[in-house]
Amino acid sequence: MRPGQILPGSGDDAFGPLSVIDHANLELGTLVKMHEHNNDEILSYMWRGSMVHEDSAGNRVPLSPKKLMMMNAGESFWHEESTPLVPAEMLQIFIRPRKANLEGQVQFMERPDGVRQNEWTLLAAPEGIESPLEIRQAVYVYDIRMDENSTTNIPSHPGFAQWLYVMDGEINIGETSLSKGDAASDEESALPAATAVKETTLVCFLVCLGAEAILEGTISGK
């Protein structure tokens, strides 16, 4: 998905520095062989199943909804992903960093209970903001698991636009019904509260649309 296409006439398929989101379903036995990324900030948001991550820093780590990962590819970072045990459903999120050729690194977030029920969790935030994962860009990422018929306000921050994604389930937001794979945004004002028609998982991005960003990323720069 190209998040910027939600804004008519924006002239850019990226939503500020939020460049590409891949809602991926990986079958059992999938192997994405070792390959290099440059200048991509990559959040692996696991929603279902598990995936084994290996990288050039020597990590071999199982990822799941209870363990998320942020790869800050920078100048160079190599990784491989596989699903040897069960299928996986996830978002692979590519963000344009603020500067080219920073040091490559990887971060992991542990959350033993998985997605919180009826409470937003801050997953990732810009450098200098206390959060489980650090993004080298003006982007925040949150998620929530909503009970049927529950209502929640969408996270907001002054100077940041909201981009809300329905990972699974169905919500009503204002006069609009959104289901799995749909997104909502309003670059000028805050989104109205969301009410879950059934149990629903939401992922929310807060993005500074005018943030300085580079276009040298392997995926995010395209």
Side-chain angles (χ1 to χ4, degrees):
M1 296 173 282
R2 298 289 183 167
Q5 292 179 349
I6 203 168
L7 301 177
S10 67
D12 189 349
D13 286 346
F15 189 77
L18 179 62
S19 180
V20 177
I21 300 175
D22 183 9
H23 189 149
N25 286 277
L26 307 178
E27 298 299 329
L28 177 65
T30 296
L31 172 64
V32 182
K33 293 184 179 180
M34 188 71 70
H35 60 284
E36 185 181 22
H37 280 272
N38 307 101
N39 297 310
D40 288 325
E41 302 282 288
I42 310 169
L43 175 60
S44 295
Y45 178 84
M46 303 297 300
W47 179 72
R48 177 179 62 89
S50 68
M51 180 174 77
V52 176
H53 164 84
E54 299 186 54
D55 61 42
S56 51
N59 295 295
R60 188 178 192 278
V61 179
L63 305 177
S64 73
K66 298 181 179 182
K67 188 159 190 170
L68 308 182
M69 175 180 67
M70 184 84 208
M71 289 183 288
N72 311 95
E75 187 173 14
S76 177
F77 199 82
W78 292 75
H79 74 111
E80 176 175 297
E81 313 297 339
S82 60
T83 54
L85 300 177
V86 294
E89 184 173 359
M90 64 176 294
L91 299 180
Q92 194 85 325
I93 300 152
F94 297 88
I95 297 167
R96 295 170 178 170
R98 58 173 174 78
K99 187 177 180 181
N101 299 325
L102 298 169
E103 182 180 358
Q105 63 182 20
V106 63
Q107 310 165 58
F108 300 98
M109 173 189 175
E110 302 268 6
R111 52 172 178 180
D113 297 325
V115 185
R116 286 185 183 174
Q117 208 77 12
N118 302 314
E119 182 181 348
W120 286 99
T121 298
L122 176 61
L123 307 175
E127 300 162 288
I129 304 296
E130 186 176 350
S131 65
L133 301 170
E134 180 180 89
I135 305 175
R136 297 184 294 204
Q137 186 50 272
V139 175
Y140 294 79
V141 186
Y142 298 80
D143 74 348
I144 190 173
R145 184 73 174 169
M146 299 176 66
D147 289 333
E148 183 179 350
N149 297 322
S150 64
T151 298
T152 185
N153 292 318
I154 311 305
S156 62
H157 191 76
F160 285 70
Q162 299 160 309
W163 200 91
L164 180 70
Y165 186 69
V166 183
M167 186 72 197
D168 186 69
E170 183 180 354
I171 59 170
N172 290 325
I173 184 166
E175 301 298 320
T176 303
S177 177
L178 302 175
S179 57
K180 182 171 183 171
D182 289 335
S185 178
D186 190 331
E187 61 177 326
E188 296 181 352
S189 59
L191 291 169
T195 299
V197 177
K198 55 185 177 180
E199 194 172 33
T200 297
T201 300
L202 300 177
V203 181
C204 180
F205 301 86
L206 302 183
V207 182
C208 180
L209 296 179
E212 183 178 353
I214 58 96
L215 298 177
E216 283 84 351
T218 303
I219 301 295
S220 66
K222 293 183 179 180

